[in-house]
Structure formats: structure tokens, C-alpha cells
Amino acid sequence: MLVEETHLKGCFVITPKVFEDERGFFFESFNTQSFESKTGVKVNFVQDNISKSSKGVLRGLHFQKDAFAQAKLVQVIKGKVLDVCVDLRKESSTFGHYFSILLDDLNKQQLYVPRGFAHGFLVLEDDTIFSYKCDNYYNKAAESGILYNDEKLNIDWGLMQDAFVISEKDKCLSTFEDFLNE
Ligand SMILES: Cc1cn([C@H]2C[C@H](O)[C@@H](COP(=O)(O)OP(=O)(O)O[C@H]3O[C@H](C)C(=O)[C@H](O)[C@H]3O)O2)c(=O)[nH]c1=O
């Protein structure tokens, strides 16, 4: 597997080694030993999530607060997304900066999003299945987030601006300014 650190420290793009033959393909979607040796990050994932979305759905930007913060290893099982993570670590030199990447079932790439980040994705193909591992349990009371189109974050979501499908909850998320003043 190839591991490349992004410009956001601790956030990695992982390209697994895929074994293809006349039957199809095989790859290790996670291996603790390989992950830790290549990233230098010790992680203990405790929860796996899967969501299915239609084209145009935008989920995020989400994070869990404080002790309930989650690191995530995200990937697309079927379809394609523009995946985005935002550095919300106030001591970080890239605080407020984001990284985006196209994840799909062809490149089979994964993104490791450390604790202290907001995460979201825009779905670019119908019936996209998104799967991710979390290193902390879901805690509804600790859920928080930032508006996907926050002016200060200025995330480039591409050309589909008017066709997004967004939950009422996500439409009411905080601005980055509000997050700063919390
Ligand atoms: C996240 C989560 C949700 N739920 C329940 C709560 C709701 O009744 C239902 C749908 O939740 P929500 O609308 O928050 O799902 P997403 O919008 O896909 O949220 C996720 O989307 C972005 C991209 C993320 O990175 C987060 O992991 C996560 O917040 O599942 C659970 O039971 N467990 C969970 O871990």
C-alpha cells in the first residue's frame, strides 16, 4: 500500500495494493500493522459505518466534539465522491485549511482523517456506497459541524452547486465564525 501525507499533518491518502486476476480483484482494506508502520499513527478503530447516497447528496461537514472526536478511514465501495476534510485543530499551522480528493471504486483510494477534523463528501454518482472506520463511538450529544458552503472555508465543491441534496440538519450547521467563537 502507498501512503502519502497531505498538506494537513496527520491526514493521509492511502492507495491499497490491488490484486487482480480473471476472477476480479482482492485488496486488504485495512491492516493495522501496515497502517501503523506506514503512517506512524497508532489507531484502534471501534466502529464501521456505511451509507448509500444518490448523486448530488452532500453529507457534512461533521465532527464530534472533545473526548468524542473521531479519526476516520473513509473509502468508496461503489460510485464516486468528492471527499473533503477541514483542519479544526486550533494549534495547527493549517487550521481552517481543507483537503479534497476524488474517491471512487476505480481508484479504491482511502483517506485517513485524524481527530480534530470536520469531514464531508459530495456524491458524484447515483447509488454510491460510502464506508468508513471510526476510532471512537457515535455520540449524538457530541455531534457538531460547519456549513458546507461556509464563506471563510471557501471549499470548492465543483460545478454541481445548485443540485445538492442536503439534510435539514446539515442546512442548519454553524458557520466557521461561530465555531471560532464557541
Ligand atoms: C453518524 C451516525 C449516525 N447514526 C444515526 C443518526 C441518524 O438517525 C442517522 C443518520 O445520521 P446522519 O444524518 O448524521 O448521517 P450522515 O449525514 O451520513 O453523517 C455522517 O456523515 C459525515 C460525512 C461524517 O463524516 C460523519 O461520520 C457522519 O456524521 O444515523 C448512528 O446511529 N451512528 C452514527 O455513527
Side-chain angles (χ1 to χ4, degrees), residues 85-121:
C85 62
V86 182
D87 189 351
L88 298 180
R89 301 169 301 189
K90 293 191 174 173
E91 73 291 345
S92 168
S93 61
T94 52
F95 175 66
H97 296 201
Y98 76 92
F99 173 77
S100 63
I101 183 172
L102 286 172
L103 299 176
D104 64 24
D105 54 19
L106 297 177
N107 68 31
K108 301 182 181 61
Q109 286 184 315
Q110 303 169 323
L111 184 66
Y112 176 72
V113 181
R115 291 186 179 188
F117 279 59
H119 174 251
F121 59 88

Side-chain angles (χ1 to χ4, degrees), residues 4-23:
E4 300 160 287
E5 192 163 24
T6 68
H7 69 287
L8 306 178
K9 189 163 177 49
C11 178
F12 297 92
V13 175
I14 297 165
T15 308
K17 180 169 178 48
V18 180
F19 298 91
E20 295 188 274
D21 62 27
E22 67 283 0
R23 297 167 299 170

Side-chain angles (χ1 to χ4, degrees), residues 47-66:
Q47 181 179 318
D48 286 0
N49 296 334
I50 291 177
S51 64
K52 178 180 172 184
S53 309
S54 310
K55 182 176 180 180
V57 164
L58 194 153
R59 296 177 185 256
L61 299 160
H62 298 160
F63 62 92
Q64 290 194 169
K65 291 183 284 193
D66 309 321

Side-chain angles (χ1 to χ4, degrees), residues 9-172:
K9 189 163 177 49
C11 178
F12 297 92
V13 175
I14 297 165
T15 308
K17 180 169 178 48
V18 180
F19 298 91
E20 295 188 274
D21 62 27
E22 67 283 0
R23 297 167 299 170
F25 68 77
F26 173 94
F27 70 96
E28 292 182 356
S29 52
F30 179 70
N31 178 309
T32 298
Q33 216 165 45
S34 307
F35 180 87
E36 291 183 0
S37 65
K38 301 246 174 146
T39 62
V41 174
K42 286 188 78 62
V43 71
N44 174 38
F45 291 120
V46 296
Q47 181 179 318
D48 286 0
N49 296 334
I50 291 177
S51 64
K52 178 180 172 184
S53 309
S54 310
K55 182 176 180 180
V57 164
L58 194 153
R59 296 177 185 256
L61 299 160
H62 298 160
F63 62 92
Q64 290 194 169
K65 291 183 284 193
D66 309 321
F68 301 100
Q70 295 170 307
K72 298 165 189 168
L73 180 64
V74 307
Q75 62 186 318
V76 168
I77 302 297
K78 175 182 175 290
K80 188 173 193 174
V81 308
L82 179 66
D83 200 86
V84 173
C85 62
V86 182
D87 189 351
L88 298 180
R89 301 169 301 189
K90 293 191 174 173
E91 73 291 345
S92 168
S93 61
T94 52
F95 175 66
H97 296 201
Y98 76 92
F99 173 77
S100 63
I101 183 172
L102 286 172
L103 299 176
D104 64 24
D105 54 19
L106 297 177
N107 68 31
K108 301 182 181 61
Q109 286 184 315
Q110 303 169 323
L111 184 66
Y112 176 72
V113 181
R115 291 186 179 188
F117 279 59
H119 174 251
F121 59 88
L122 171 62
V123 179
L124 301 175
E125 288 179 5
D126 268 331
D127 301 330
T128 286
I129 296 176
F130 192 82
S131 171
Y132 53 108
K133 306 178 82 67
C134 304
D135 77 339
N136 216 347
Y137 293 106
Y138 172 63
N139 182 296
K140 188 170 183 57
E143 278 195 299
S144 188
I146 295 175
L147 277 168
Y148 75 99
N149 59 351
D150 183 87
E151 286 182 2
K152 284 196 184 311
L153 294 182
N154 192 29
I155 295 168
D156 179 1
W157 292 98
L159 304 175
M160 287 172 55
Q161 202 71 25
D162 56 350
F164 291 173
V165 177
I166 298 169
S167 68
E168 289 310 311
K169 182 184 80 166
D170 286 357
K171 288 176 185 171
C172 303

